[in-house]
Amino acid sequence: MGHSHRGMPRFKREILINVRPYEKRIAILEDGRLSEMFYERPDSTRLVGNIYKGVVNAVLPGLQAAFVDLGLEKAGFLHVEDVESQSLLDSIGEDMDDEDEDPRGGSSGESKPIDQLLKVGQEVLVQVTKEPISTKGARLTCHLSFAGPFLVCMPGTSFIGVSKKARDPQQRRALKRMIRELKSPECGYIVRTNGLNESEAEFAKQIKILEAKWEQCKQHASQVAAPGLVHQESDSSETTLRDYFSEDVDAVWIDDRDECRTVVNYLKVLSPDKVGKIKLYTGEVSLFDHFGIEDELEKTFLRKVPLKRGGYLLIDRTEALTAIDVNTGGKVKGRDQAKNIVETNMDAAWEVAKQMRLRDLGGLIVVDFIDMDSTDDQETVTKEFKKAIRQDKAPISFAPLSQFGLMEITRKRVRPDAVQEQTLECPSCKGAGYIPSRESVLASIDRWLRRFRAKKGPSEISLALNPSMIDLLTENRATAFKYLEIAHKTRIQLIEDEDANLDDFRVFNGKNNEEIPVATPG
């Protein structure tokens, strides 16, 4: 494939969308290297962006917050900062004044206490801003917004903002004036970084799409019984394209015809000029193998992560924080010891930034760098880390290195982290280590079969698996099992192996029953 550096003036950016009946994986590549990763399972519906007509079921003055019943398993959490002084439900059907006020609430900046704003039993229109994670319910806001590729529409305000990346005051003023003339009085807007160079016609088209979405939402809200879903956010492909698909994306590769058609239709409406960048991948080797990122992806579940020049990271997650330990390996000897330590710490700064994105780590992260005596060296590593986190879209703040070589980082996460999503708690070790989830094991079998068949392995096999894996293959009218047989043109006989670990599978030749080594297919 040759996805190496070619002395380009900028990064080559590609988006890969890999579709299987049991999961969808989306990878963002920069210069052929994996930069970010998203997963979507048929059974793990994303809630962020969804709008609900909820019912307040508890008001907590001490916390200045309320719990709202959305009709889901857990009630959502709504903080006073995220409450409108007048519910959007009340304002549906009313005209709003076109005042240029601050984006949310009145201009006084004074917020009323929660018990003056909400009462138990009251119906409210809320949007999910953070997925329910572990024991916590979804985080909610009454400040609704609809994101398009270039604009964010905010019903119920008349505020107009421009991305901070536009530093030229003249450009900011011109964009604000243009949006004010195009928009309806009841919606405010923020111009996103991707939209700074877009034409008036593009803005007009997007405003029309976003305001039609709001109209539809209002109509649905007036009809739906509370608690109930009013608006469902788009699926992961659309959301990813909306947030990552800008001018500087060179190509979007998709290995599924239907998905490709859906994405093309979505883009025809939004950015017809960019449809040519969508490419259907039909190669023999799997899409992620072709781009050389499958192995790299498997490393995101390992505790030990190798560094470029010989060191390594150890990543451990606890209930309260994620601890990352930096080690030199066997490399630190002789006179260049200080230089080696700084180099290892600089490699670690980039790898930590990358692992935070790939694993979608959130909350408190503590990195234990190797001790450095010189303050210049400490500053070098801190600067390197600052550079490395630039491409992360999540809000991050960090403290400089402490006297013990520790760096404390907080990173805001809206999804459950990738390791949590892709693994199950082990019944034996109760979460001290990980085993892959059943779907991840299924993905490994799928990849193994693809490589095995590409090497002309026999088309008839027996597969010995843990009974729990056989349940997964045969549920939902055996969708996953049929898919494996059809996709790899292979007749498969399933054998229950009570003693097999969940992540073990053994393969036998269907003709002579000889075992085929799994480590080296074919």
Side-chain angles (χ1 to χ4, degrees):
M1 186 71 211
H3 282 259
S4 58
H5 295 268
R6 300 195 187 94
M8 287 185 260
R10 63 167 183 82
F11 274 146
K12 177 173 182 148
R13 282 195 171 87
E14 289 153 306
I15 297 174
L16 313 182
I17 303 178
N18 162 242
V19 182
R20 292 290 174 265
Y22 50 85
E23 80 175 346
K24 186 194 290 184
R25 300 185 298 168
I26 301 173
I28 313 285
L29 262 57
E30 295 198 341
D31 252 9
R33 290 209 179 95
L34 189 58
S35 158
E36 273 180 75
M37 191 67 210
F38 309 101
Y39 299 88
E40 188 184 274
R41 295 262 163 79
D43 59 344
S44 66
T45 354
R46 300 265 177 239
L47 300 181
V48 166
N50 284 3
I51 295 173
Y52 292 86
K53 189 176 184 176
V55 179
V56 178
N57 63 7
V59 176
L60 313 169
L63 273 179
Q64 281 303 302
F67 284 107
V68 180
D69 180 9
L70 308 172
L72 300 170
E73 198 181 327
K74 292 189 190 89
F77 180 81
L78 179 61
H79 191 263
V80 70
E81 288 170 2
D82 298 310
V83 181
E84 293 279 1
S85 51
Q86 181 199 17
S87 163
L88 270 176
L89 273 178
D90 302 334
S91 65
I92 287 175
E94 292 177 17
D95 287 329
M96 304 194 65
D97 297 328
D98 187 9
E99 292 167 16
D100 200 9
E101 56 187 25
D102 60 323
R104 297 304 183 187
S107 8
S108 63
E110 285 295 305
S111 175
K112 289 181 184 171
I114 191 89
D115 45 359
Q116 285 182 33
L117 292 170
L118 295 175
K119 298 280 175 277
V120 172
Q122 184 179 335
E123 294 185 355
V124 282
L125 208 52
V126 288
Q127 188 166 31
V128 177
T129 59
K130 198 171 180 181
E131 297 286 345
I133 295 172
S134 173
T135 54
K136 297 172 189 163
R139 181 75 192 254
L140 309 173
T141 181
C142 293
H143 307 316
L144 308 187
S145 63
F146 298 97
F150 324 131
L151 290 167
V152 178
C153 169
M154 302 179 300
T157 87
S158 43
F159 172 81
I160 298 172
V162 176
S163 158
K164 290 190 177 82
K165 295 269 167 74
R167 296 216 168 89
D168 172 11
Q170 227 171 329
Q171 184 194 17
R172 296 179 73 89
R173 275 198 299 273
L175 281 168
K176 283 185 176 185
R177 201 178 308 120
M178 187 196 297
I179 302 299
R180 188 170 291 111
E181 284 165 12
L182 294 170
K183 76 181 192 70
S184 94
E186 67 169 286
C187 291
Y189 281 90
I190 293 172
V191 179
R192 302 178 72 175
T193 309
N194 280 356
L196 294 176
N197 301 314
E198 286 302 329
S199 66
E200 185 168 345
E202 279 298 331
F203 281 128
K205 190 165 76 177
Q206 205 164 106
I207 285 174
K208 204 170 153 189
I209 292 169
L210 292 170
E211 291 184 1
K213 222 182 228 188
W214 171 229
E215 281 307 317
Q216 216 177 349
C217 193
K218 282 198 295 187
Q219 211 176 335
H220 201 184
S222 61
Q223 294 159 357
V224 89
L229 178 67
V230 169
H231 163 79
Q232 176 123 32
E233 191 44 274
S234 344
D235 83 337
S236 52
S237 302
E238 288 185 18
T239 312
T240 306
L241 290 180
R242 190 182 69 202
D243 293 343
Y244 289 85
F245 190 54
S246 55
E247 280 305 323
D248 55 2
V249 168
D250 297 272
V252 178
W253 293 92
I254 305 173
D255 63 3
D256 180 86
R257 238 170 251 283
D258 292 341
E259 183 78 7
C260 197
R261 201 173 297 124
T262 307
V263 167
V264 165
N265 291 338
Y266 169 71
L267 271 185
K268 269 184 190 161
V269 178
L270 283 168
S271 311
D273 54 316
K274 298 194 183 87
V275 169
K277 292 184 174 186
I278 308 294
K279 318 227 182 261
L280 178 67
Y281 175 79
T282 54
E284 277 292 297
V285 194
S286 79
L287 176 64
F288 280 19
D289 270 333
H290 180 68
F291 279 82
I293 61 166
E294 196 69 77
D295 294 339
E296 196 178 347
L297 205 50
E298 284 176 9
K299 284 180 200 153
T300 57
F301 302 112
L302 300 179
R303 179 175 175 248
K304 186 174 178 178
V305 179
L307 297 174
K308 225 170 29 189
R309 289 178 276 201
Y312 61 91
L313 302 178
L314 288 176
I315 302 177
D316 291 295
R317 203 180 69 220
T318 71
E319 196 65 28
L321 53 83
T322 301
I324 302 179
D325 189 28
V326 182
N327 293 279
T328 52
K331 198 181 93 163
V332 180
K333 290 185 184 73
R335 282 177 310 180
D336 285 342
Q337 187 166 339
K339 181 171 170 263
N340 284 340
I341 286 173
V342 175
E343 282 179 357
T344 303
N345 280 341
M346 282 163 74
D347 288 349
W350 282 93
E351 193 58 46
V352 165
K354 178 179 173 179
Q355 291 298 327
M356 287 194 314
R357 289 196 310 275
L358 286 181
R359 297 173 189 234
D360 202 11
L361 297 176
L364 180 62
I365 299 149
V366 178
V367 185
D368 184 5
F369 284 100
I370 304 159
D371 286 348
M372 294 169 288
D373 297 329
S374 126
T375 48
D376 284 358
D377 289 351
Q378 291 170 10
E379 213 165 292
T380 304
V381 171
T382 304
K383 275 185 184 154
E384 203 69 14
F385 182 70
K386 197 173 183 176
K387 242 189 285 178
I389 58 175
R390 269 187 206 147
Q391 59 206 103
D392 200 324
K393 284 190 182 308
I396 295 177
S397 59
F398 68 94
L401 282 168
S402 76
Q403 65 185 95
F404 306 113
L406 298 177
M407 182 186 278
E408 291 173 21
I409 306 159
T410 62
R411 181 175 183 274
K412 190 177 173 192
R413 179 182 70 211
V414 295
R415 303 186 295 273
D417 78 43
V419 175
Q420 230 166 2
E421 285 259 277
Q422 296 278 311
T423 54
L424 287 171
E425 186 173 281
C426 168
S428 322
C429 71
K430 293 285 177 278
Y434 300 110
I435 57 168
S437 71
R438 295 188 310 167
E439 288 83 353
S440 300
V441 178
L442 176 52
S444 301
I445 295 169
D446 183 10
R447 289 194 288 273
W448 186 87
L449 272 170
R450 182 181 285 271
R451 291 171 182 172
F452 175 70
R453 293 291 284 132
K455 293 186 179 179
K456 305 285 179 284
S459 62
E460 212 171 309
I461 60 161
S462 299
L463 201 52
L465 299 162
N466 177 291
S468 168
M469 280 306 301
I470 290 186
D471 291 345
L472 177 69
L473 281 167
T474 52
E475 66 194 18
N476 294 333
R477 299 201 197 87
T479 313
F481 177 72
K482 284 179 192 155
Y483 159 76
L484 289 178
E485 283 201 324
I486 294 161
H488 307 298
K489 301 186 179 64
T490 308
R491 282 184 60 191
I492 301 170
Q493 186 182 354
L494 297 176
I495 303 167
E496 279 198 12
D497 181 354
E498 295 285 349
D499 300 325
N501 286 334
L502 187 68
D503 55 343
D504 280 349
F505 62 95
R506 293 169 72 192
V507 185
F508 299 86
N509 187 321
K511 298 247 169 33
N512 57 19
N513 289 328
E514 277 180 20
E515 186 162 353
I516 299 161
V518 166
T520 52

